[in-house]
Amino acid sequence: SVCLVGVCIGAALFSPRLAIRTVTVDGNAAVPTPHLMARLKHVYGQNIVRLSSARVKDAVLAEPTIETVTLRRELPDKVRVTVVERQP
């Protein structure tokens, strides 16, 4: 049974079925969506299980007008990024 668990974990970590194909951004008004999507281009094709939340958040937070970032994985292949922009 331990071997079976290992196989399942390995399949999840390396399965092409879990490659990210869709990324959406919500909550932005001042920063254009294409601008934020350009910061997230590295996400496409990555395994959704192995995706670094910190790396995604850091990429979006590099935009000075973004205050907070929330990341949500939607299996099998979608990531939703929700931002809150700083108020002037």
Side-chain angles (χ1 to χ4, degrees), residues 6-77:
V7 168
C8 290
I9 290 171
L13 292 177
F14 298 102
S15 173
R17 292 182 182 163
L18 296 177
I20 297 168
R21 291 181 180 83
T22 306
V23 178
T24 61
V25 177
D26 299 315
N28 57 308
V31 182
T33 298
H35 186 76
L36 292 175
M37 294 300 287
R39 294 186 178 276
L40 296 169
K41 64 184 174 193
H42 70 278
V43 172
Y44 288 94
Q46 287 192 39
N47 181 286
I48 198 166
V49 176
R50 296 186 348 215
L51 178 66
S52 168
S53 296
R55 186 170 177 212
V56 171
K57 289 178 181 182
D58 288 346
V60 177
L61 288 171
E63 176 60 46
T65 59
I66 302 297
E67 186 171 4
T68 64
V69 179
T70 304
L71 178 75
R72 184 170 140 190
R73 293 172 173 87
E74 298 177 4
L75 296 175
D77 61 0

